[in-house]
Amino acid sequence: MYSAIAVYVLAFFAFCAEWVFGGRSRVARQSAALTAARTAVAAPAPAVVEAAAEGGGGVALATRPVVVVRGGGHDSDAADDRGDVTGGDERSDRFGRIAVALTVVAFLMHFGTILTRGLAVKRAPWGNMYEFSTAVALMAVAAFLVTLMLRPVRWLGLFVVLPVMCTLGLAVGVLYTDSQQLVPALHSYWLWIHVSTAIVSFGALHIGALASLLFLFKDGYETRMKAAQPVRRKWDTMMERLPASVSLDKTAYRVNALIFPLWTFAVVAGAIWAEVAWGRYWGWDPKETWSFITWVAYAAYLHARATGGWKGRNAAYLSLVAFSCFLVNYYVVNIFVNGLHSYSGV
């Protein structure tokens, strides 16, 4: 696992280099465009010079020179709906490709670690918080790589690898538990069904939450640039290379809508397993209660989008609230609240 974390760190720095060199390239091209514009304005129009050379008394009309200014929104060089991290810089693109390659290598090493853990204990490798955390981090990277194969979302890599590193660091540094067998209630095929679907849901919903968070920053940037006197900030070159806010909003909605049925199945499967293990489908255990709260939060988000026409910032806030419920359910309830699902003391 430590080797996988080390490769994730290298991938993180490669993604950082992609953003840094892409930003420098963009600033250089904007500066060159502004210099060319000033030169065009200062120089006399070609038609006027030609008329003067001929000695004519009339004034020849000339085409008005195009003046390039720092625009307040997307221009031909700015990020479109797909995003443009590199800013057209070859070196930035090279770092981006290296970062993706390192992410794939780290993912394979990460997967191998979880596989060997499962083979060692001869059970599903997600029987405690350490194992669950490593599996969730794996699914978050898998969701990013699958999305990357379908759409050009390399701009998302930096924002995925960072929480993955934090999750793995917390797992190995705080939540680590030696390999051991499970309590009798957990010896069931429902461990493979219920927990695996929860892992996939939690990992994939990271992408929806990240898209919602980035949307808020991008929307704020676009709002500032539409003002009569735009106020530019240091991180605006980064905002310009993200996809348009509308695209980020759609990405968050599509991911959350796609994963919500799977999360619904995970909750239902948990209730069925509870009946098998404890003789009741629902007992309002803290874990069960927060799972239901999380489900309601995502259902409210999707309902608001579908029927209330909620888009933009309100929808993003709802998405982040729903994902926060997921985090509370996992970290706070598991560690600090006693119940049948409690992992206190690991």
Side-chain angles (χ1 to χ4, degrees), residues 236-265:
D236 280 351
T237 55
M238 185 175 183
M239 292 294 101
E240 289 166 353
R241 288 177 288 146
L242 285 174
S245 60
V246 174
S247 179
L248 290 169
D249 188 36
K250 290 180 179 178
T251 299
Y253 174 67
R254 288 169 180 171
V255 171
N256 291 332
L258 178 66
I259 299 301
F260 180 73
L262 186 65
W263 173 238
T264 302
F265 175 78

Side-chain angles (χ1 to χ4, degrees), residues 39-243:
T39 303
V41 172
V48 175
V49 174
E50 190 174 317
E54 293 175 355
V59 178
L61 297 178
T63 303
R64 184 178 180 180
V66 177
V67 181
V68 181
V69 297
R70 299 181 72 91
H74 295 295
D75 54 33
S76 59
D77 294 326
D80 57 9
D81 284 353
R82 295 189 172 192
D84 180 20
V85 179
T86 66
D89 183 74
E90 182 179 352
R91 181 168 48 176
S92 174
D93 181 67
R94 188 181 306 116
F95 274 112
R97 295 177 183 274
I98 292 173
V100 172
L102 289 172
T103 303
V104 172
V105 172
F107 172 81
L108 295 176
M109 297 172 67
H110 189 172
F111 175 78
T113 300
I114 294 177
L115 179 62
T116 54
R117 175 87 170 195
L119 294 175
V121 296
K122 298 180 180 180
R123 58 167 174 79
W126 41 73
N128 51 57
M129 285 194 69
Y130 164 74
E131 296 172 351
F132 190 92
S133 296
T134 57
V136 166
L138 182 74
M139 286 301 103
V141 178
F144 165 66
L145 294 177
V146 170
T147 307
L148 185 62
M149 290 189 293
L150 301 176
R151 293 177 59 85
V153 292
R154 201 168 71 192
W155 52 268
L156 192 59
L158 175 66
F159 308 102
V160 171
V161 172
L162 179 59
V164 165
M165 291 192 305
C166 295
T167 300
L168 292 179
L170 183 63
V172 299
V174 178
L175 303 175
Y176 180 78
T177 304
D178 291 330
S179 302
Q180 58 187 4
Q181 291 303 314
L182 303 176
V183 296
L186 297 181
H187 284 286
S188 172
Y189 59 87
W190 285 105
L191 178 65
W192 291 91
I193 300 173
H194 167 61
V195 182
S196 63
T197 52
I199 288 171
V200 174
S201 300
F202 196 7
L205 288 173
H206 275 74
I207 305 299
L210 287 170
S212 295
L213 184 62
L214 292 175
F215 162 81
L216 293 176
F217 286 104
K218 182 71 174 187
D219 183 65
Y221 160 77
E222 291 177 349
T223 301
R224 282 190 290 106
M225 292 299 102
K226 290 177 182 177
Q229 295 182 343
V231 178
R232 299 191 63 87
R233 297 175 181 172
K234 294 181 179 179
W235 56 83
D236 280 351
T237 55
M238 185 175 183
M239 292 294 101
E240 289 166 353
R241 288 177 288 146
L242 285 174

Side-chain angles (χ1 to χ4, degrees), residues 12-52:
F12 172 75
F13 283 118
F15 278 122
C16 288
E18 179 187 23
W19 280 92
V20 169
F21 287 111
R24 290 179 179 177
S25 172
R26 180 175 180 78
V27 170
R29 287 186 291 108
Q30 286 180 337
S31 177
L34 288 170
T35 301
R38 296 191 188 99
T39 303
V41 172
V48 175
V49 174
E50 190 174 317

